[in-house]
């Protein structure tokens, strides 16, 4: 049996031990654990502001994307004492009786530690610790043969409808087959209120464009349509974080977009929007900066 290789490093004053950096986590592309850690280190300046003060759900792939995976909400055994933990009710627990110690990733050492655990996917709620939601998400899930192009068309409809209510929206790919619109909101309304508003908008657009949009979760209703998943605003649910890797054959990233790219894709321009790989996501940050930075400034109350 091959001996586990370990490397001691210091990240912003924190001692970390990294292991098996040559282990391939994306077999189809040869992308290694070391490259995962490198990606998360290089993307951290853009990513960390979107994770700050939000409890993380991680999806870990210790044997790569072709192997078994598991969701992890609670802090694992051996969590360093400098990692920020928040004890919060477990989603779905009755009367808040079941509590979990969530990891909150506020800094680069925590992010590198998570990457070393093969926590490839990072998912966060629309709320920060101790507060009501400061984000609303409209999650667009295409039912084949609909795809990302059709999502872009629906995204433009949503943008126009939300703008009529004074709500700004910012697009990103999911890193898989769909996309999301993220909307900065006030943080002064409950998750139930936000979810009800999102459902109202989704239902309205499904009535307006019944051949291309559905707001119902039933799989049998989705072929050829884009499902607007308003339920992602439930306080117990999470959405893949901007700049998170995804467990696909290639290391795709949930990548922020320009609205001009969404418009071009909806008009049929080939490749205007696609699921971008890690290297391209990094080059886009160098070129454009963080296209979601305005999410950090807050937004209006929903009508």
């Amino acid at each position: 049996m091959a001996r586990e290789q370990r490397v001691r490093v210091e990240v912003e004053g924190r001692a970390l031990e990294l292991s098996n950096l040559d282990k391939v986590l994306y077999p189809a592309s040869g992308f290694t654990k070391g490259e995962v850690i490198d990606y998360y280190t290089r993307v951290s300046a853009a990513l960390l502001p979107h994770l700050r003060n939000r409890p993380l759900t991680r999806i870990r792939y210790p044997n790569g994307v072709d192997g078994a995976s598991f969701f992890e909400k609670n802090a694992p055994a051996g969590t360093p004492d400098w990692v920020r933990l928040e004890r919060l009710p477990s989603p779905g627990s009755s009367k808040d009786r079941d509590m979990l110690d969530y990891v909150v990733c506020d800094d680069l050492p925590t992010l590198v530690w998570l990457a070393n655990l093969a926590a490839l996917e990072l998912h966060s709620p629309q709320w920060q610790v101790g507060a009501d939601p400061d984000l609303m998400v409209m999650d667009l899930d295409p039912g084949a043969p609909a795809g990302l192009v059709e999502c872009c068309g629906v995204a433009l409809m949503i943008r126009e409808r939300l703008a009529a209510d004074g709500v700004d929206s910012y697009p990103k790919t999911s890193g898989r087959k769909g996309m999301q619109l993220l909307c900065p909101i006030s943080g002064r309304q409950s998750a139930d209120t936000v979810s009800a508003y999102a459902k109202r908008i989704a239902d309205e657009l499904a009535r307006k464009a019944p051949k291309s949009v559905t707001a119902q979760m039933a799989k049998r209703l989705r072929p050829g349509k884009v499902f607007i998943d308003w339920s992602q605003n439930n306080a117990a649910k999470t959405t893949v974080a901007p700049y998170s890797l995804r467990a696909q054959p290639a290391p795709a990233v949930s990548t922020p977009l320009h609205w001009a790219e969404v418009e071009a894709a909806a008009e049929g321009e080939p490749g205007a929007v696609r699921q971008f790989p890690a290297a391209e996501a990094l080059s886009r940050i160098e070129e454009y900066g963080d296209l979601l930075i305005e999410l950090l400034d807050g937004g209006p109350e929903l009508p």
Side-chain angles (χ1 to χ4, degrees):
M1 182 179 290
R3 185 178 176 185
E4 187 176 73
Q5 297 178 332
R6 293 182 173 273
V7 178
R8 286 186 171 86
V9 298
E10 186 174 291
V11 181
E12 295 183 349
R14 303 294 191 186
L16 285 161
E17 192 172 68
L18 308 181
S19 62
N20 295 330
L21 297 180
D22 293 333
K23 186 173 186 176
V24 174
L25 296 183
Y26 289 83
S29 59
F31 203 73
T32 66
K33 185 176 175 182
E35 288 175 295
V36 167
I37 294 171
D38 178 67
Y39 167 76
Y40 273 122
T41 300
R42 293 170 64 191
V43 83
S44 61
L47 166 61
L48 285 171
H50 297 289
L51 298 182
R52 196 158 286 135
N53 208 33
R54 297 182 194 273
L56 270 190
T57 296
R58 293 88 60 201
I59 309 182
R60 290 175 58 181
Y61 294 82
N63 294 306
V65 298
D66 291 344
S69 64
F70 60 95
F71 280 81
E72 187 172 63
K73 295 178 182 291
N74 216 13
T79 296
D81 58 10
W82 43 261
V83 170
R84 179 184 169 191
L85 303 180
E86 290 286 345
R87 180 157 287 187
L88 298 168
S90 172
S93 68
S94 59
K95 299 182 180 178
D96 297 346
R97 281 184 291 217
D98 298 325
M99 306 293 282
L100 295 177
D101 290 320
Y102 282 85
V103 171
V104 181
C105 186
D106 288 337
D107 55 33
L108 180 58
T110 302
L111 186 59
V112 171
W113 170 71
L114 290 170
N116 187 59
L117 294 176
L120 299 183
E121 296 197 9
L122 307 176
H123 296 245
S124 59
Q126 315 316 319
W127 46 270
Q128 297 188 41
V129 174
D132 283 325
D134 58 351
L135 292 174
M136 179 180 72
V137 61
M138 303 297 269
D139 189 11
L140 307 184
D141 184 11
L148 200 48
V149 169
E150 288 74 17
C151 286
C152 288
V154 173
L156 294 173
M157 294 170 55
I158 297 172
R159 177 182 66 167
E160 181 179 11
R161 176 60 187 85
L162 294 177
D165 283 344
V167 178
D168 293 328
S169 53
Y170 297 85
K172 70 179 181 75
T173 67
S174 69
R176 297 186 70 178
K177 60 179 181 174
M179 62 187 294
Q180 290 105 20
L181 304 187
L182 297 175
C183 309
I185 56 176
S186 69
R188 296 189 296 269
Q189 294 169 294
S190 71
D192 287 346
T193 297
V194 175
S195 192
Y197 173 81
K199 183 178 187 302
R200 190 163 75 245
I201 298 300
D203 286 339
E204 182 181 317
L205 293 177
R207 289 193 299 270
K208 182 179 179 181
K211 292 184 178 179
S212 57
V213 177
T214 180
Q216 298 184 55
M217 295 183 188
K219 297 270 188 181
R220 61 182 174 79
L221 300 176
R222 295 198 208 176
K225 299 183 181 182
V226 174
F227 170 46
I228 304 176
D229 188 357
W230 50 270
S231 74
Q232 290 296 110
N233 295 287
N234 184 300
K237 291 196 174 185
T238 60
T239 302
V240 65
Y243 306 109
S244 174
L245 289 167
R246 300 308 301 268
Q248 298 293 290
V253 169
S254 182
T255 306
L257 301 167
H258 284 289
W259 273 115
E261 294 174 305
V262 178
E263 291 164 1
E267 291 169 5
E269 183 179 318
V273 171
R274 59 194 186 282
Q275 303 298 352
F276 296 97
E280 197 165 352
L282 289 169
S283 67
R284 287 171 63 87
I285 294 171
E286 289 181 11
E287 183 174 357
Y288 305 132
D290 177 16
L291 295 177
L292 300 180
I293 196 166
E294 292 183 50
L295 294 178
L296 306 175
D297 295 333
E301 288 197 7
L302 299 171

